Amino acid sequence: MVPPTLPPVRPSAGTRFSALPVAVQSAAIATVAMALFSAVPPSVRLLSDTMSAYQIVGIRAALGVAMACCYFAWAGFYRLKSPRPVFHFTRATFNFVGMVMWFWALKHVELAKGIAIHFTMPLFIALLAWFFLKERIDSRRGLVMLVGFAGVLIILRPGMIGIGLPEMAILGSAVLYAGAVIFLKIIVRDEGAFAVTFYTNLFMGLWCIAPAAYYWAPITLDDVLPILGLGVCGLMAPFLVATTLKSADASLIGAFDFLRLPFTAVFGFALFGEIPDVFVWVGAAIIFVSTWHVTAREAGRAKARKSGAP
């Protein structure tokens, strides 16, 4: 008797994805991460209709602390021991002020325009690293940074259109976020990412208590979806980026950062009817090319140092 022929077993989606080249996997994960990043600004805009920036940042911090506590309940709270509590507090303060400025500005500017201006953060990181960490900026990198800031001028068009407080707040937020990254470079030398996430959100939450309580607005059912977008997307996106960095160069992942602009533009059009003008796209493209060049060169230098090459 001939045994019945079993139908072929189709590999699962996870198996097929694992069989793809590493670069393709990283590109796909990075694309999803940028889509999740892009869900945060419209979530903030929707919450800003009734809530202050302090309350939104407080909710974001509370969600971050809760998720970090879930991890440490499993891994052990002894991992929270830190030799640099002052550094954590200072970094969280930079993050808090920068996030309040960023979230407040998103209520008053086009989402795509806000994202485009915020692309300047890597340029400010390089500048602050040169000033505080004595990292070298050669003439080539200096020229690239000047080109990047020229992209900002194209977006803002000083003298042609009014530059308001929201645009300046976004630039200030990018500077403060860059300062937080400088502190992060020092902290992560001997501390884990989850500990950094916990302390950052903890201190930001403490900063938010008084102003958020003063300006508190009741949370309604309409706020649930934006809060999930703010919390889940805002916490999952960095995790996915960290996952891709384990197997792909930072320059490759950095190249996908520009996807935040079209994704955010889609959200802005679908939810608020916003259409970015051509200057936003041109300026953002110039800023992106500049920041990508800085990231690619830094990744190349790091690889050379690791391999011992000159």
Side-chain angles (χ1 to χ4, degrees):
M1 181 177 181
V2 178
T5 303
L6 296 176
V9 179
R10 295 185 61 186
S12 65
T15 303
R16 293 197 299 271
F17 183 77
S18 301
L20 295 173
V22 173
V24 176
Q25 295 181 36
S26 300
I29 296 173
T31 301
V32 174
M34 297 311 146
L36 293 177
F37 270 127
S38 303
V40 174
S43 299
V44 172
R45 170 74 69 80
L46 292 170
L47 293 174
S48 297
D49 289 340
T50 56
M51 298 182 188
S52 69
Y54 297 108
Q55 184 174 348
I56 300 172
V57 173
I59 292 172
R60 170 71 173 77
L63 293 171
V65 169
M67 294 190 70
C69 283
C70 292
Y71 167 77
F72 287 112
W74 169 75
F77 283 97
Y78 69 92
R79 296 176 182 269
L80 284 173
K81 186 177 180 181
S82 173
R84 295 189 176 96
V86 175
F87 277 66
H88 281 293
F89 178 78
T90 305
R91 179 179 184 274
T93 301
F94 276 57
N95 248 55
F96 164 71
V97 179
M99 192 173 291
V100 168
M101 294 169 67
W102 172 230
F103 284 4
W104 174 82
L106 286 174
K107 182 180 179 179
H108 303 282
V109 300
E110 290 181 355
L111 297 181
K113 181 180 181 181
I115 291 293
I117 298 173
H118 222 248
F119 278 156
T120 56
M121 190 178 73
L123 303 178
F124 287 123
I125 292 174
L127 187 62
L128 293 178
W130 165 76
F131 188 81
F132 290 103
L133 301 182
K134 308 304 178 184
E135 293 186 2
R136 181 170 171 264
I137 295 183
D138 54 27
S139 57
R140 184 177 177 183
R141 177 182 284 195
L143 178 61
V144 168
M145 293 172 64
L146 289 176
V147 171
F149 287 115
V152 177
L153 296 178
I154 291 175
I155 296 171
L156 297 179
R157 283 166 285 163
M160 297 178 61
I161 60 173
I163 301 175
L165 190 58
E167 288 84 359
M168 299 307 297
I170 295 173
L171 278 175
S173 172
V175 174
L176 290 167
Y177 275 13
V181 172
I182 298 303
F183 278 96
L184 181 63
K185 283 190 172 187
I186 300 173
I187 294 172
V188 295
R189 291 171 184 170
D190 49 13
E191 296 193 42
F194 275 102
V196 173
T197 299
F198 174 82
Y199 284 115
T200 299
N201 287 285
L202 175 65
F203 288 126
M204 282 202 308
L206 292 176
W207 273 116
C208 286
I209 289 176
Y214 184 80
Y215 294 107
W216 186 263
I219 298 176
T220 65
L221 287 176
D222 292 336
D223 298 326
V224 172
L225 191 59
I227 287 175
L228 289 176
L230 175 68
V232 177
C233 296
L235 293 170
M236 281 297 298
F239 173 78
L240 291 178
V241 170
T243 300
T244 59
L245 288 174
K246 291 181 179 179
S247 55
D249 291 341
S251 57
L252 173 64
I253 306 307
F256 283 84
D257 192 51
F258 189 70
L259 289 177
R260 288 193 294 143
L261 183 59
F263 282 140
T264 303
V266 169
F267 281 120
F269 177 76
L271 297 175
F272 311 108
E274 297 177 350
I275 302 177
D277 60 37
V278 66
F279 293 98
V280 170
W281 293 100
V282 172
I286 292 174
I287 295 170
F288 165 73
V289 170
S290 302
T291 56
W292 177 83
H293 183 81
V294 170
T295 303
R297 289 200 72 200
E298 182 59 31
R301 288 177 174 179
K303 184 180 290 186
R305 288 193 297 266
K306 188 174 181 180
S307 63

